[in-house]
Amino acid sequence: MAPAPPGPGTVGDRVLREKERAENFPVALRILPRDLRADLVAVYDVARVIDDLGDESAIEDRTPGLLRFQRDLERAFRGDQPHERVLRDLLPAIHRRDLELDPFNRLVRANLQDQRVASYATQAELEDYCVLSADPVGRIVLRVFGVRDPVAESLSDRVCTALQLIEHCQDVAEDRRNGRVYLPRTGLAAFGATEADLDATTTSRPVRLAVAAQTARALDLLTEGAALLDRLHGWARLAVAGYIAGGLATLDALRRARWDVLAGTPRPRKTDVVAHLTALLVRPSAHVRRIREGGRLT
């Protein structure tokens, strides 16, 4: 049967490449072998489209589009021809890397949860959400590199949750405009802030303190997760170091902005990504620990 037209909300390749370039981290380093780069980009595109379906596809409830995409995912993993182009592009990676459906389904579930839950009361609830929205990506990446190691997967979960928390801090203003808050209410309240304070055009000191505390939590998780690099070798180690380097460079950007996340979105410098990547390849845990011990709040 001929593939059906792409479903609503699916973005074209040009837009996907623009979004890839805007990421905090290198999705697929150019030095990687072509097949690895192709598979990582294919995975990224599917994850990106799922997020876009959940965030940008329509003003009304996005659930039908997400469920339609989920059915197409299941079609791809059954061995049938999927309708969506990004899923057809994923087919070689599914077969080459023996990818599994569950991590992709968890990404869909995270976006379905976004249709029902606009904010989180506690840090624990927020990090439970990250188990769906972030951790599966790391598991898929490990599988692309042929890594099947429960310890590595657990460390990857810490890294991915940390990167998600950092992105939440970076995107506070954008998320608020979209009707969502990913700073826990108890975390805001601890510094005398409320969600209403996120409607301002500049960031109050209480909100800055809450953002700084959230990035400190992310840095704690990155410090634990950096041990993942000691369990990886070759291209896997290089690629994952790039992801962690992007997170650290984004923390640098947040510090430079003095945690003012409402006036604009702090963006990492490519030079900072390269510097962190180099240091991580030499002594990963020591590098992240040195940053953590150097002080976080100015």
Side-chain angles (χ1 to χ4, degrees):
M1 184 174 65
T10 300
V11 296
D13 187 68
R14 181 181 61 81
V15 176
L16 284 169
R17 299 290 68 79
E18 289 174 355
K19 291 179 182 247
E20 179 187 346
R21 287 191 290 273
E23 294 290 349
N24 294 329
F25 50 81
V27 170
L29 290 163
R30 293 187 181 277
I31 195 175
L32 294 174
R34 181 178 298 181
D35 62 331
L36 281 172
R37 291 190 70 243
D39 291 347
L40 289 172
V41 169
V43 168
Y44 170 82
D45 286 355
V46 171
R48 181 75 268 165
V49 166
I50 291 171
D51 278 349
D52 287 347
L53 284 168
D55 291 339
E56 302 172 4
S57 60
I59 296 174
E60 64 272 9
D61 183 20
R62 298 156 176 89
T63 300
L66 287 163
L67 293 177
R68 182 168 50 246
F69 192 88
Q70 186 174 45
R71 289 192 294 272
D72 213 22
L73 261 173
E74 293 168 353
R75 186 177 293 111
F77 277 87
R78 281 199 311 266
D80 297 335
Q81 184 79 339
H83 301 322
E84 296 282 355
R85 180 188 61 80
V86 292
L87 292 176
R88 296 196 295 273
D89 291 345
L90 183 68
L91 291 175
I94 291 174
H95 300 308
R96 265 198 296 256
R97 313 299 176 184
D98 193 25
L99 300 184
E100 297 175 342
L101 175 61
D102 180 65
F104 292 95
N105 268 339
R106 285 163 62 191
L107 297 177
V108 175
R109 286 168 54 200
N111 279 272
L112 289 170
Q113 183 167 309
D114 281 334
Q115 311 314 307
R116 299 179 289 100
V117 182
S119 64
Y120 294 87
T122 67
Q123 187 71 27
E125 290 177 2
L126 178 64
E127 292 184 19
D128 282 345
Y129 167 74
C130 293
V131 171
L132 296 177
S133 66
D135 297 2
V137 177
R139 302 260 179 146
I140 297 167
V141 167
L142 290 179
R143 181 59 62 87
V144 166
F145 285 102
V147 177
R148 297 170 179 267
D149 173 0
V151 175
E153 290 175 352
S154 178
L155 293 170
S156 172
D157 291 347
R158 292 179 177 85
V159 168
C160 290
T161 292
L163 296 180
Q164 181 79 87
L165 296 180
I166 292 167
E167 186 176 342
H168 286 163
C169 291
Q170 186 184 22
D171 293 340
V172 168
E174 178 184 347
D175 290 334
R176 180 63 172 174
R177 288 193 297 270
N178 289 335
R180 294 176 186 149
V181 176
Y182 295 108
L183 294 174
R185 292 191 294 276
T186 53
L188 288 166
F191 298 100
T194 68
E195 291 183 359
D197 295 328
L198 305 181
D199 294 321
T201 55
T202 58
T203 312
S204 66
R205 178 166 174 76
V207 173
R208 291 181 196 231
L209 291 169
V211 172
Q214 189 70 294
T215 59
R217 169 59 179 162
L219 192 51
D220 285 343
L221 288 167
L222 275 184
T223 302
E224 298 170 10
L228 171 62
L229 295 178
D230 294 325
R231 303 185 70 86
L232 301 179
H233 307 280
W235 298 123
R237 189 168 189 269
L238 178 63
V240 174
Y243 304 147
I244 297 174
L248 292 173
T250 307
L251 287 177
D252 291 340
L254 286 160
R255 288 195 190 92
R256 279 195 303 273
R258 297 184 64 81
W259 321 109
D260 185 358
V261 292
L262 298 180
T265 302
R267 298 290 183 190
R269 297 171 179 165
K270 289 185 178 179
T271 52
D272 289 341
V273 176
V274 172
H276 285 301
L277 173 58
T278 303
L280 286 167
L281 291 174
V282 177
R283 296 185 66 191
S285 295
H287 178 62
V288 181
R289 190 165 53 248
R290 184 165 56 250
I291 294 170
R292 180 171 176 262
E293 293 170 354
R296 311 161 181 152
L297 178 59
T298 58

